[in-house]
Amino acid sequence: MDVLDRRLVAALQVSPRAAWGEIGRAVGEHERTVARRLQRLVAEGAVRVTAIYDDLRSGHGRPVHLHVQVRPGTAAAVAKALSDRPDTRSVYALTGVADIGCELVSPSREALHDIITAQVPAIDGVLQTQTQVVLHTFRTVAEWHAPYLTEQEVAELRPAEAAGPLPDEDGMSPLEQEIAELLVADGRIAFTAIAERLDVSVPTARRRVTSLLERRVLLLRAEVEPALLGLEVEAQLWLKVRPDGLDTVGRTLAAHPHVRYCAATAGTHSLIVQVAVAHEAALYRLLTEVVGDLHEVTGTDVTLITRAYKRGHLRKSGLLTLERTP
């Protein structure tokens, strides 16, 4: 991708359902240029507009992170087996003690027990696992965008906040579940297409989509490999943080432009932070100047992501995004 491609993708990440003209006005490009470039990237599989559930609000379950050690020579096969599971959201090859990192969503504690004690250990090649249960999410990957836009450009693109507090209603009605699945398959599906597929009126489709997004039951996401955006070094930071400083550290790191994901976890570490930067020197500066300045942090483990097999339930082939796991 060239500089303009990266700026347009960043704009799509900020507002995945924005019209090409809206993106063009925000970044100062002609609508035809925006449409031609982004449609090409989508057609090539470099970018995929989808949606992910807020697991707790939607009732889908509890997200957990697994570190998996494997028998030498079996990492690719184990990663594929984990990617084939419909409950895994992301699967990565890692440096460090663990060979594979995996995020999955367990529908219940009973199911999680079976997953980590029986199902995953039964995969040929798995030697050992370590589980971190997510307690609170400070930033999801769906809320991150590549740092190539000005604050004014982001403000022009970002959807207006709903007036007043968000509704307390969680979960989804049967109709909303059907609409959500359409958005997961295609985050830019038109309201008219939703109405036709589900035999509802266009105003009903528009109202239900708006409700899902405003309640944050569903989060729109423009998925693209960070390396295509010039961010070739991805790392997972596992931090030990004093309990009285956990919220402060989480909020501070979540606001950093190179932090894609940040969540508090229960396990050997209290915070997981996923970052994407241009090169190792930038990661060093982030560790020493940003994390190092947070005195509530008492320990840091760093692992590099060397390959993504799956992100946001979407399979990967190198730097291209494939279909969603059935």
mmCIF file of all heavy atoms in Angstrom, residues 157-183:
data_model
loop_
_atom_site.group_PDB
_atom_site.id
_atom_site.type_symbol
_atom_site.label_atom_id
_atom_site.label_comp_id
_atom_site.label_asym_id
_atom_site.label_seq_id
_atom_site.Cartn_x
_atom_site.Cartn_y
_atom_site.Cartn_z
ATOM 1 N N LEU A 157 -14.793 11.982 10.576
ATOM 2 C CA LEU A 157 -15.221 10.636 10.193
ATOM 3 C C LEU A 157 -15.974 9.908 11.288
ATOM 4 O O LEU A 157 -16.850 9.088 11.001
ATOM 5 C CB LEU A 157 -13.997 9.790 9.817
ATOM 6 C CG LEU A 157 -13.353 10.092 8.476
ATOM 7 C CD1 LEU A 157 -11.951 9.523 8.434
ATOM 8 C CD2 LEU A 157 -14.203 9.514 7.352
ATOM 9 N N ARG A 158 -15.630 10.193 12.516
ATOM 10 C CA ARG A 158 -16.193 9.417 13.616
ATOM 11 C C ARG A 158 -17.689 9.670 13.743
ATOM 12 O O ARG A 158 -18.125 10.826 13.779
ATOM 13 C CB ARG A 158 -15.504 9.760 14.938
ATOM 14 C CG ARG A 158 -15.717 8.690 16.012
ATOM 15 C CD ARG A 158 -14.937 9.001 17.263
ATOM 16 N NE ARG A 158 -13.498 9.016 17.069
ATOM 17 C CZ ARG A 158 -12.749 7.920 16.965
ATOM 18 N NH1 ARG A 158 -13.323 6.732 17.016
ATOM 19 N NH2 ARG A 158 -11.443 8.011 16.807
ATOM 20 N N PRO A 159 -18.483 8.602 13.818
ATOM 21 C CA PRO A 159 -19.933 8.783 13.966
ATOM 22 C C PRO A 159 -20.266 9.580 15.216
ATOM 23 O O PRO A 159 -19.574 9.485 16.233
ATOM 24 C CB PRO A 159 -20.455 7.342 14.080
ATOM 25 C CG PRO A 159 -19.395 6.500 13.450
ATOM 26 C CD PRO A 159 -18.094 7.197 13.732
ATOM 27 N N ALA A 160 -21.304 10.384 15.126
ATOM 28 C CA ALA A 160 -21.723 11.199 16.264
ATOM 29 C C ALA A 160 -22.133 10.298 17.420
ATOM 30 O O ALA A 160 -22.755 9.245 17.239
ATOM 31 C CB ALA A 160 -22.884 12.099 15.873
ATOM 32 N N GLU A 161 -21.765 10.714 18.628
ATOM 33 C CA GLU A 161 -22.147 9.962 19.819
ATOM 34 C C GLU A 161 -23.651 10.053 20.033
ATOM 35 O O GLU A 161 -24.275 11.071 19.750
ATOM 36 C CB GLU A 161 -21.425 10.511 21.053
ATOM 37 C CG GLU A 161 -19.912 10.353 21.003
ATOM 38 C CD GLU A 161 -19.467 8.915 21.120
ATOM 39 O OE1 GLU A 161 -20.248 8.106 21.653
ATOM 40 O OE2 GLU A 161 -18.356 8.602 20.683
ATOM 41 N N ALA A 162 -24.223 8.987 20.533
ATOM 42 C CA ALA A 162 -25.656 9.001 20.829
ATOM 43 C C ALA A 162 -25.943 10.011 21.928
ATOM 44 O O ALA A 162 -25.152 10.177 22.866
ATOM 45 C CB ALA A 162 -26.113 7.604 21.262
ATOM 46 N N ALA A 163 -27.050 10.701 21.825
ATOM 47 C CA ALA A 163 -27.418 11.687 22.839
ATOM 48 C C ALA A 163 -27.771 10.971 24.133
ATOM 49 O O ALA A 163 -28.550 10.019 24.143
ATOM 50 C CB ALA A 163 -28.603 12.516 22.352
ATOM 51 N N GLY A 164 -27.204 11.439 25.250
ATOM 52 C CA GLY A 164 -27.512 10.835 26.538
ATOM 53 C C GLY A 164 -26.756 9.538 26.754
ATOM 54 O O GLY A 164 -25.982 9.082 25.913
ATOM 55 N N PRO A 165 -26.976 8.864 27.886
ATOM 56 C CA PRO A 165 -26.274 7.621 28.192
ATOM 57 C C PRO A 165 -26.722 6.495 27.271
ATOM 58 O O PRO A 165 -27.830 6.500 26.744
ATOM 59 C CB PRO A 165 -26.670 7.340 29.659
ATOM 60 C CG PRO A 165 -27.997 8.028 29.815
ATOM 61 C CD PRO A 165 -27.918 9.262 28.960
ATOM 62 N N LEU A 166 -25.830 5.536 27.085
ATOM 63 C CA LEU A 166 -26.182 4.380 26.270
ATOM 64 C C LEU A 166 -27.245 3.546 26.980
ATOM 65 O O LEU A 166 -27.270 3.450 28.206
ATOM 66 C CB LEU A 166 -24.946 3.518 26.023
ATOM 67 C CG LEU A 166 -23.856 4.138 25.145
ATOM 68 C CD1 LEU A 166 -22.678 3.189 25.052
ATOM 69 C CD2 LEU A 166 -24.385 4.466 23.770
ATOM 70 N N PRO A 167 -28.120 2.885 26.199
ATOM 71 C CA PRO A 167 -29.137 2.033 26.815
ATOM 72 C C PRO A 167 -28.493 0.906 27.621
ATOM 73 O O PRO A 167 -27.420 0.423 27.282
ATOM 74 C CB PRO A 167 -29.904 1.485 25.601
ATOM 75 C CG PRO A 167 -29.603 2.437 24.483
ATOM 76 C CD PRO A 167 -28.232 2.962 24.751
ATOM 77 N N ASP A 168 -29.188 0.517 28.686
ATOM 78 C CA ASP A 168 -28.664 -0.552 29.530
ATOM 79 C C ASP A 168 -28.977 -1.945 28.979
ATOM 80 O O ASP A 168 -28.445 -2.934 29.448
ATOM 81 C CB ASP A 168 -29.257 -0.442 30.949
ATOM 82 C CG ASP A 168 -28.741 0.797 31.675
ATOM 83 O OD1 ASP A 168 -27.612 1.211 31.382
ATOM 84 O OD2 ASP A 168 -29.490 1.343 32.501
ATOM 85 N N GLU A 169 -29.853 -2.006 28.004
ATOM 86 C CA GLU A 169 -30.282 -3.302 27.482
ATOM 87 C C GLU A 169 -29.120 -4.047 26.851
ATOM 88 O O GLU A 169 -28.411 -3.514 26.004
ATOM 89 C CB GLU A 169 -31.374 -3.088 26.428
ATOM 90 C CG GLU A 169 -31.849 -4.385 25.784
ATOM 91 C CD GLU A 169 -32.782 -4.124 24.621
ATOM 92 O OE1 GLU A 169 -33.092 -2.953 24.354
ATOM 93 O OE2 GLU A 169 -33.184 -5.099 23.975
ATOM 94 N N ASP A 170 -28.896 -5.262 27.277
ATOM 95 C CA ASP A 170 -27.876 -6.111 26.688
ATOM 96 C C ASP A 170 -28.565 -7.257 25.956
ATOM 97 O O ASP A 170 -29.773 -7.429 26.007
ATOM 98 C CB ASP A 170 -26.941 -6.668 27.765
ATOM 99 C CG ASP A 170 -26.071 -5.573 28.369
ATOM 100 O OD1 ASP A 170 -25.927 -4.528 27.708
ATOM 101 O OD2 ASP A 170 -25.572 -5.767 29.482
ATOM 102 N N GLY A 171 -27.750 -8.094 25.306
ATOM 103 C CA GLY A 171 -28.321 -9.202 24.564
ATOM 104 C C GLY A 171 -28.943 -8.725 23.270
ATOM 105 O O GLY A 171 -28.925 -7.548 22.921
ATOM 106 N N MET A 172 -29.503 -9.693 22.522
ATOM 107 C CA MET A 172 -30.081 -9.385 21.217
ATOM 108 C C MET A 172 -31.379 -10.136 21.024
ATOM 109 O O MET A 172 -31.527 -11.280 21.469
ATOM 110 C CB MET A 172 -29.105 -9.764 20.105
ATOM 111 C CG MET A 172 -27.854 -8.922 20.052
ATOM 112 S SD MET A 172 -26.774 -9.414 18.683
ATOM 113 C CE MET A 172 -26.183 -10.983 19.310
ATOM 114 N N SER A 173 -32.312 -9.512 20.322
ATOM 115 C CA SER A 173 -33.538 -10.184 19.926
ATOM 116 C C SER A 173 -33.211 -11.104 18.747
ATOM 117 O O SER A 173 -32.156 -10.978 18.119
ATOM 118 C CB SER A 173 -34.575 -9.149 19.499
ATOM 119 O OG SER A 173 -34.177 -8.515 18.290
ATOM 120 N N PRO A 174 -34.116 -12.044 18.410
ATOM 121 C CA PRO A 174 -33.865 -12.911 17.250
ATOM 122 C C PRO A 174 -33.605 -12.131 15.963
ATOM 123 O O PRO A 174 -32.713 -12.489 15.183
ATOM 124 C CB PRO A 174 -35.142 -13.745 17.168
ATOM 125 C CG PRO A 174 -35.632 -13.805 18.580
ATOM 126 C CD PRO A 174 -35.310 -12.469 19.161
ATOM 127 N N LEU A 175 -34.365 -11.046 15.735
ATOM 128 C CA LEU A 175 -34.147 -10.236 14.536
ATOM 129 C C LEU A 175 -32.777 -9.567 14.579
ATOM 130 O O LEU A 175 -32.045 -9.537 13.571
ATOM 131 C CB LEU A 175 -35.244 -9.180 14.388
ATOM 132 C CG LEU A 175 -35.056 -8.183 13.231
ATOM 133 C CD1 LEU A 175 -34.984 -8.917 11.896
ATOM 134 C CD2 LEU A 175 -36.174 -7.147 13.233
ATOM 135 N N GLU A 176 -32.397 -9.044 15.747
ATOM 136 C CA GLU A 176 -31.094 -8.402 15.861
ATOM 137 C C GLU A 176 -29.964 -9.403 15.652
ATOM 138 O O GLU A 176 -28.925 -9.071 15.083
ATOM 139 C CB GLU A 176 -30.964 -7.725 17.221
ATOM 140 C CG GLU A 176 -31.785 -6.453 17.345
ATOM 141 C CD GLU A 176 -31.667 -5.815 18.706
ATOM 142 O OE1 GLU A 176 -31.458 -6.552 19.696
ATOM 143 O OE2 GLU A 176 -31.791 -4.581 18.794
ATOM 144 N N GLN A 177 -30.170 -10.633 16.093
ATOM 145 C CA GLN A 177 -29.149 -11.658 15.870
ATOM 146 C C GLN A 177 -28.962 -11.915 14.378
ATOM 147 O O GLN A 177 -27.831 -12.042 13.890
ATOM 148 C CB GLN A 177 -29.557 -12.956 16.571
ATOM 149 C CG GLN A 177 -28.560 -14.096 16.394
ATOM 150 C CD GLN A 177 -27.237 -13.824 17.063
ATOM 151 O OE1 GLN A 177 -27.165 -13.655 18.281
ATOM 152 N NE2 GLN A 177 -26.169 -13.775 16.278
ATOM 153 N N GLU A 178 -30.055 -11.949 13.635
ATOM 154 C CA GLU A 178 -29.958 -12.143 12.185
ATOM 155 C C GLU A 178 -29.260 -10.958 11.518
ATOM 156 O O GLU A 178 -28.433 -11.134 10.616
ATOM 157 C CB GLU A 178 -31.351 -12.329 11.585
ATOM 158 C CG GLU A 178 -32.028 -13.627 11.970
ATOM 159 C CD GLU A 178 -33.384 -13.772 11.296
ATOM 160 O OE1 GLU A 178 -34.319 -13.033 11.678
ATOM 161 O OE2 GLU A 178 -33.505 -14.604 10.381
ATOM 162 N N ILE A 179 -29.600 -9.760 11.953
ATOM 163 C CA ILE A 179 -28.966 -8.561 11.397
ATOM 164 C C ILE A 179 -27.478 -8.560 11.729
ATOM 165 O O ILE A 179 -26.632 -8.242 10.878
ATOM 166 C CB ILE A 179 -29.642 -7.285 11.942
ATOM 167 C CG1 ILE A 179 -31.060 -7.160 11.379
ATOM 168 C CG2 ILE A 179 -28.824 -6.041 11.591
ATOM 169 C CD1 ILE A 179 -31.857 -6.017 11.975
ATOM 170 N N ALA A 180 -27.141 -8.926 12.963
ATOM 171 C CA ALA A 180 -25.742 -8.954 13.382
ATOM 172 C C ALA A 180 -24.935 -9.915 12.513
ATOM 173 O O ALA A 180 -23.795 -9.601 12.114
ATOM 174 C CB ALA A 180 -25.636 -9.348 14.849
ATOM 175 N N GLU A 181 -25.488 -11.069 12.194
ATOM 176 C CA GLU A 181 -24.772 -12.038 11.365
ATOM 177 C C GLU A 181 -24.532 -11.503 9.964
ATOM 178 O O GLU A 181 -23.487 -11.764 9.352
ATOM 179 C CB GLU A 181 -25.536 -13.363 11.317
ATOM 180 C CG GLU A 181 -25.451 -14.166 12.604
ATOM 181 C CD GLU A 181 -24.011 -14.480 12.980
ATOM 182 O OE1 GLU A 181 -23.273 -15.021 12.123
ATOM 183 O OE2 GLU A 181 -23.610 -14.165 14.120
ATOM 184 N N LEU A 182 -25.483 -10.735 9.432
ATOM 185 C CA LEU A 182 -25.281 -10.106 8.127
ATOM 186 C C LEU A 182 -24.146 -9.092 8.188
ATOM 187 O O LEU A 182 -23.335 -8.987 7.262
ATOM 188 C CB LEU A 182 -26.568 -9.429 7.650
ATOM 189 C CG LEU A 182 -27.734 -10.355 7.295
ATOM 190 C CD1 LEU A 182 -28.963 -9.539 6.894
ATOM 191 C CD2 LEU A 182 -27.343 -11.307 6.166
ATOM 192 N N LEU A 183 -24.071 -8.332 9.276
ATOM 193 C CA LEU A 183 -23.007 -7.346 9.430
ATOM 194 C C LEU A 183 -21.651 -8.014 9.668
ATOM 195 O O LEU A 183 -20.626 -7.506 9.222
ATOM 196 C CB LEU A 183 -23.335 -6.397 10.589
ATOM 197 C CG LEU A 183 -24.474 -5.410 10.331
ATOM 198 C CD1 LEU A 183 -24.912 -4.754 11.633
ATOM 199 C CD2 LEU A 183 -24.041 -4.351 9.324
#
